[in-house]
């Protein structure tokens, strides 16, 4: 627990590597097209709970893992964003299942510690191109759904992206009261 608190308060945060391919603005919404690197990720699925509760549960499990609850007992440091895969229903609301993930820090990419919690899986992911929009505040389900709808409207019918899921991303620890960064990502097809 101490390692988890130290990680979230004192360590520097490594950001998931990406490069901006293009920028746009439409319907008063700024967005970017980005190429994100692949790599190894720690991921946990949580189902049967509302989005905000499921997300919190998943994030806490991953914080414990990177904080030292792993087979090597090593605190790895934090990476950003914490990424929550959301699965929209036909009406735009979110289903009661999420996958919370975070990129393993660079120094542990080749040989990540095994999680002590068996619900956490280490996944190898390919790079991807995404459409992203950013917003501030303490993001909740309603914010992500709202910005996903805005991004969908801004992209219009010209952009091809996955409709069966999208990523809800948070970059900041909960104790950061202002200047917060949240993003919605659609994966380009």
């Amino acid at each position: 627990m101490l390692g988890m608190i130290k990680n979230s308060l004192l360590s520097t945060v490594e950001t998931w590597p990406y490069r901006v391919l293009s920028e746009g603005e439409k319907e008063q919404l700024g967005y970017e097209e980005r190429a994100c690197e692949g790599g190894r990720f720690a991921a946990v699925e949580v189902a049967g709970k509302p989005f905000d509760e499921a997300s919190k549960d998943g994030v806490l499990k991953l914080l414990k893992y990177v904080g030292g609850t792993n087979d090597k007992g090593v605190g790895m440091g934090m990476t950003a964003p914490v990424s929550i895969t959301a699965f929209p229903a036909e009406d735009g609301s979110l289903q009661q299942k999420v996958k919370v993930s975070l990129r393993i820090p660079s120094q542990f990419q080749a040989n990540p510690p095994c999680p002590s919690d068996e619900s956490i899986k280490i996944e190898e992911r390919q790079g991807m191109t995404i459409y992203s929009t950013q917003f501030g505040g303490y993001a909740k389900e309603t914010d992500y759904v709202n910005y996903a709808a805005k991004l969908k409207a801004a992209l219009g019918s010209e952009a091809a992206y996955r409709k069966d899921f999208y990523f809800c991303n948070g970059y900041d620890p909960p104790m950061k009261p202002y200047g917060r960064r949240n993003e919605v990502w659609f994966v380009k097809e």
Side-chain angles (χ1 to χ4, degrees):
M1 185 64 139
L2 185 59
M4 181 177 83
I5 294 168
K6 186 181 95 175
N7 256 347
S8 65
L9 292 175
L10 304 175
S11 62
T12 57
V13 177
E14 179 183 321
T15 303
W16 185 346
Y18 69 87
R19 72 180 197 292
V20 176
L21 303 175
S22 66
E23 296 179 9
E25 186 172 337
K26 192 172 180 184
E27 312 264 335
Q28 299 182 331
L29 183 82
Y31 60 90
E32 295 178 336
E33 181 180 354
R34 299 179 188 162
C36 299
E37 285 187 17
R40 288 194 169 99
F41 290 76
V44 62
E45 293 184 22
V46 182
K49 295 181 179 183
F51 178 87
D52 293 330
E53 185 182 344
S55 300
K56 181 181 174 185
D57 289 355
V59 168
L60 288 174
K61 286 181 178 219
L62 293 179
L63 285 175
K64 288 177 183 176
Y65 167 65
V66 298
T69 306
N70 53 60
D71 69 339
K72 296 178 183 167
V74 63
M76 294 182 274
M78 207 40 213
T79 60
V82 171
S83 190
I84 302 158
T85 308
F87 301 92
E90 299 259 337
D91 65 359
S93 66
L94 299 180
Q95 297 178 33
Q96 288 199 354
K97 74 173 183 180
V98 298
K99 180 187 269 190
V100 183
S101 59
L102 101 100
R103 193 170 190 276
I104 304 285
S106 295
Q107 73 183 80
F108 296 96
Q109 274 289 312
N111 188 22
C114 292
S116 300
D117 182 336
E118 292 181 5
S119 68
I120 299 172
K121 306 298 181 210
I122 304 301
E123 300 177 346
E124 182 78 35
R125 296 188 187 170
Q126 300 300 312
M128 62 184 167
T129 301
I130 55 111
Y131 297 105
S132 173
T133 192
Q134 184 175 320
F135 61 98
Y138 284 95
K140 299 281 185 210
E141 176 179 3
T142 54
D143 303 305
Y144 287 119
V145 169
N146 182 31
Y147 277 91
K150 289 179 180 183
L151 182 57
K152 179 181 178 180
L155 293 173
S157 59
E158 302 162 23
Y161 56 87
R162 297 283 304 261
K163 309 281 192 296
D164 54 332
F165 71 91
Y166 59 86
F167 293 107
C168 305
N169 301 292
Y171 284 78
D172 303 299
M175 64 289 293
K176 183 178 180 184
Y178 57 89
R180 298 181 62 79
R181 178 181 174 189
N182 308 292
E183 295 178 343
V184 170
W185 293 358
F186 292 167
V187 178
K188 187 175 179 178
E189 289 185 313

